[in-house]
Amino acid sequence: MAQDNFSKIISHAKEYGFIFQSSDIYDGLSAVYDYGQTGVELKNNIKQYWWDAMVKMQESIVGLDSAIFMHPKVWKASGHVDAFNDPLIDNKDSKKRYRADELIEEQLDKIQKKVDKEINKARKRFGDDFDEEKFVSTHPRVVKYLGKIEKLRSRFIEALKNEDLDELKQIILDEEIADPVSGSRNWTDVRQFNLMFDTKLGSVDGAKIYLRPETAQGIFVNYLNVQKTGRLNLPFGIAQIGKAFRNEIVARQFIFRMREFEQMEMQYFVQPGTEKEWFPYWRDKRMNWHKALGFDDALFRLHEHDKLAHYASAAYDIEFDFPFGFKELEGIHSRTNFDLGRHQDMSGKKIQYYDNERGESYVPYVVETSIGLDRTFLMVLSAAYTEEKLEKETRIVMKIPAPLAPYKVAVLPLVKKDGLPEIAGKIMDELKYDFNCYYEEKDSIGRRYRRQDAIGTPYCITVDHQSLDDNTVTIRERDSMKQERVPAEQIFDIVNQKVNMKTLLKQI
Ligand code: GAP
């Protein structure tokens, strides 16, 4: 997917009421966004897809909705006060601020692109006879580039593991990495920057509290409440959807990296030792959730973490091929008993599970699945956005999976008179209890179809003069543009078969 597609997707999202910049009339607030009339429907449907898959379909998982504000000790215990940092660096000439680790990652990507270019060139030259493995291991330039990548990557990982900020700066200098905006190499030292927003509770001199940077801690501190009142036995999970806040150093790329965003997280509590089985189970299950959406499987891949977060013993990302390349969409983490153990120590409350079978008490281990709702939204927009060349025009169609589409059906009387709006109104009244419907009388039918394509409505129902005689309508399918004449009583079944969430859930 090309970068220029990305600008088109961003403009399209605004033009059709999916996403607006926050406080637009005041020139916007950086990295904060609002969901418009179409966007809120898509967002709610993504939430429902996740909730149904993770709670409704799972006997061993229950839901929770915990508060954004939490006791400040929570963030001390979780390690976020001391360790939730990103390494930042400023360019002295351009005064622009960057994440040092991202500058180095971009440098690695740049070298990798040179390798890919050589491979593509050779593939074209040799055609069917091309032996990629041999080419990569023998071609002098490619061997040189790959050697450079390996050396740079291991130096980089070592610096991250040791939190060696001087070494990160030295890598930037040695690699002659320039400010992408000004081309200057005049860098400050690298500093750690804590990503948590803070505020005061109550009066002006009230205690400092944080806006939660992840929803997970709300689940950990409620572990005992839920386990006891729900009489739950291990293994069991707690799931929640909610806002999280991070004061990101660099927040570019639209809704990919925001300062206020929403997470959908599930913590699965297990017997110590069994996390080794549950970790791959949830990693694969989550991948199936993504693939059930019906987009090209090649758009998704797994990436194992080189540097683990302070709480994790193993971690994978599910990455998606966004218009700006493969990037993290969801994280699957084996969090050991780190969080519950730390809360037990800091709170002085015993957070243990009595295992009848083992005849002992212990702090459960945790496997976590954590996905950004806004990133999932961007994934759906990116994968769905399609420009199709027709005979006389190009149509833009959002091929959003039907169960997630903002509107499931548009009801369109051909003209605004002759009793057609009345029939269309009756059809709306029938369908609106089950589906989110769109009603429109204005403009030619062709223009109305295009507008529905642009927001991804799977079906358009057109009521015309024949409908007055025999109560049939034309039903048009979004992707194929095929039109069929059907009795009005059949509309529900046709639409329901395609837009029901069951069609997705059954595939996971
Ligand atoms: N509880 C674990 C946790 O928060 P994370 O990898 O930091 O893990 C999980 O975040 C997911 O939250 C990411 O995979 C991403 O989808 C989303 N996310 C994180 N930071 C984000 C941001 N600034 N803007 C939008 N989504 C973000």
Side-chain angles (χ1 to χ4, degrees), residues 329-344:
L329 173 60
E330 170 159 13
I332 321 293
H333 311 123
S334 190
R335 282 183 88 131
T336 65
N337 58 0
F338 175 85
D339 300 86
L340 290 184
R342 292 277 299 172
H343 287 307
Q344 177 169 262

Side-chain angles (χ1 to χ4, degrees), residues 413-440:
L414 192 60
V415 288
K416 271 195 267 187
K417 53 183 183 177
D418 303 337
L420 302 191
E422 286 72 16
I423 298 186
K426 272 195 200 144
I427 293 175
M428 280 291 289
D429 285 343
E430 271 299 306
L431 298 180
K432 70 185 180 194
Y433 296 97
D434 295 289
F435 311 124
N436 199 24
C437 303
Y438 197 108
Y439 181 82
E440 201 176 25

Side-chain angles (χ1 to χ4, degrees), residues 45 155 290 297 351 390 392 440 449 461 467 502:
N45 294 338
R155 194 175 163 197
H290 291 281
D297 279 2
I351 307 182
L390 305 178
K392 291 191 191 131
E440 201 176 25
Y449 283 160
I461 307 292
S467 314
K502 224 182 187 174

Side-chain angles (χ1 to χ4, degrees), residues 214 246 248 256 258 263 265 328-329 335 368 370 372:
E214 62 169 9
R246 295 183 190 178
E248 298 285 356
F256 180 79
M258 302 157 88
Q263 288 186 317
E265 296 201 292
E328 174 186 347
L329 173 60
R335 282 183 88 131
E368 161 186 82
S370 175

Side-chain angles (χ1 to χ4, degrees), residues 35 109 165 255 257 263 286 320 408:
Y35 287 81
D109 283 350
L165 304 182
I255 56 169
R257 198 175 298 288
Q263 288 186 317
R286 291 302 306 147
F320 175 74
K408 307 302 186 218

